[in-house]
Amino acid sequence: MEADAAASPHPGAPEPRALGTPSTIGSLLCRIRGKVFTWDILKTVVLGQLLSLCICGTAITSQYLAEKYKVNTPMLQSFINYCLLLLIYTGMLAFRSGNENLIDVLKRKWWKYILLGLADVEANYLIVRAYQYTTLTSVQLLDCFGIPVLMALSWFILRARYRVIHFVAVFVCLLGVGTMVGADILAGRDDSSGSDILIGDILVLLGASLYAVSNVCEEYIVKKLSRQEFLGMVGLFGTIISGIQLLIVEYKDIASIKWDWKIALLFVAFALCMFCLYSFMPLVIKVTSATSVNLGILTADLYSLFFGLFLFNYKFSGLYILSFTVIMVGFILYCSAPTRTAEPAESSIPPVTIIGIDNLGLKLEESGLPDSHSAVL
């Protein structure tokens, strides 16, 4: 009896569960499932892949123009997209009433939007131009440089505060990109036709950095101001800047195009895909963040590769499936945990709040706050 009493000093207390028992593992899996497999994360993943498909559409149409019709006019293609943004969104700003109409916005912030338009136009141009100097592998790898730049800018400008899981998720996504590049090399898609590797690599790094600047500005404007203002101003100044630049650098290429209905259709398809990308990306960024969107669209190259199997006779590799899976795992990991936003020092609000700028739906779900808080963003 004494031995039994020593073994169980509190007879009525429940016995502790041993670590690794089926019940403990089951509860852990349920907890993970509740964190990862939610409607908000599913919606974020689906929206991110729709953006990837838009980018895939621009890549396929550009490749058709370049390979089958010998048309290399990236600035003209971007110019058409900016013109569509100008017609739709700048027109919407022009008919606004109050102090948010086109004239008032230009009076107060014209120089800021000139810089934003310049960053956006040159980011598109530099990445495309880099293909003439360096290899596909270099572009795919160095283009990921924009993600750490974006995270750093978000830290200082948007005051985003990341957790360990976010850095792990980014590493997993970049590992997936590395797998994709390895598959390209094994499939023979990594040509060595670059004329000056160093110049090409520098162009990619500059383009990726400008993309990061543009995306951070986009997130700030979309969450603090409005989507229409961002798209309207980018459409206005993007049209002006790209129009001037194409007259300087592409007028000979444009004059040499032998127009027919197939080439015109490819230009229209490219412009529509790019217009959809620009129109929908602010909607996705508003409910997530620029960083999570950029992680999600890493799959765009893979969609292009899958379509290329049928359109351009690419060689298939099982590593492409593995790469897609790894990137999606990293993307879901990133979205599974909300970031936090540090408040200014002079604010009476505690230094770190639970309402961050990333994965807004997850924050509201976890904190139980009403949706009205999302209007602040």
Side-chain angles (χ1 to χ4, degrees), residues 65 69 71 73 76 80 253-268:
L65 285 169
Y69 300 101
V71 175
T73 55
L76 175 60
I80 298 173
D253 295 323
I254 295 172
S256 64
I257 297 176
K258 298 178 181 179
W259 291 94
D260 60 24
W261 68 271
K262 294 181 180 178
I263 293 178
L265 186 62
L266 288 171
F267 270 96
V268 171

Side-chain angles (χ1 to χ4, degrees), residues 78-97:
S78 296
F79 175 74
I80 298 173
N81 169 57
Y82 289 122
C83 286
L84 291 175
L85 295 176
L86 173 68
L87 290 173
I88 304 298
Y89 295 105
T90 310
M92 292 171 62
L93 279 182
F95 288 101
R96 269 187 173 183
S97 59

Side-chain angles (χ1 to χ4, degrees), residues 305-317:
L305 291 169
F306 294 147
F307 282 107
L309 295 174
F310 306 98
L311 300 176
F312 305 109
N313 297 319
Y314 290 161
K315 294 180 181 178
F316 177 77
S317 171

Side-chain angles (χ1 to χ4, degrees), residues 15-32:
E15 295 185 4
R17 296 175 181 176
L19 188 64
T21 60
S23 58
T24 305
I25 296 174
S27 62
L28 179 61
L29 291 176
C30 289
R31 198 178 311 164
I32 294 174

Side-chain angles (χ1 to χ4, degrees), residues 9 15-16 37 42 93 141 152 173 248 284 323-324 354 363 372:
E15 295 185 4
F37 299 102
L42 177 62
L93 279 182
L141 285 175
C173 287
I248 296 174
V284 185
S323 174
F324 182 84
I354 60 172
K363 293 179 181 60
S372 59

Side-chain angles (χ1 to χ4, degrees), residues 256-335:
S256 64
I257 297 176
K258 298 178 181 179
W259 291 94
D260 60 24
W261 68 271
K262 294 181 180 178
I263 293 178
L265 186 62
L266 288 171
F267 270 96
V268 171
F270 176 92
L272 289 177
C273 289
M274 188 67 83
F275 178 78
C276 290
L277 175 66
Y278 271 72
S279 297
F280 293 139
M281 184 175 282
L283 296 174
V284 185
I285 286 179
K286 189 169 185 177
V287 296
T288 57
S289 73
T291 303
S292 60
V293 168
N294 276 266
L295 291 175
I297 62 178
L298 288 176
T299 56
D301 286 337
L302 287 165
Y303 287 128
S304 300
L305 291 169
F306 294 147
F307 282 107
L309 295 174
F310 306 98
L311 300 176
F312 305 109
N313 297 319
Y314 290 161
K315 294 180 181 178
F316 177 77
S317 171
L319 289 177
Y320 290 141
I321 303 296
L322 177 62
S323 174
F324 182 84
T325 304
V326 172
I327 291 175
M328 291 305 300
V329 168
F331 181 42
I332 293 173
L333 271 180
Y334 187 93
C335 295

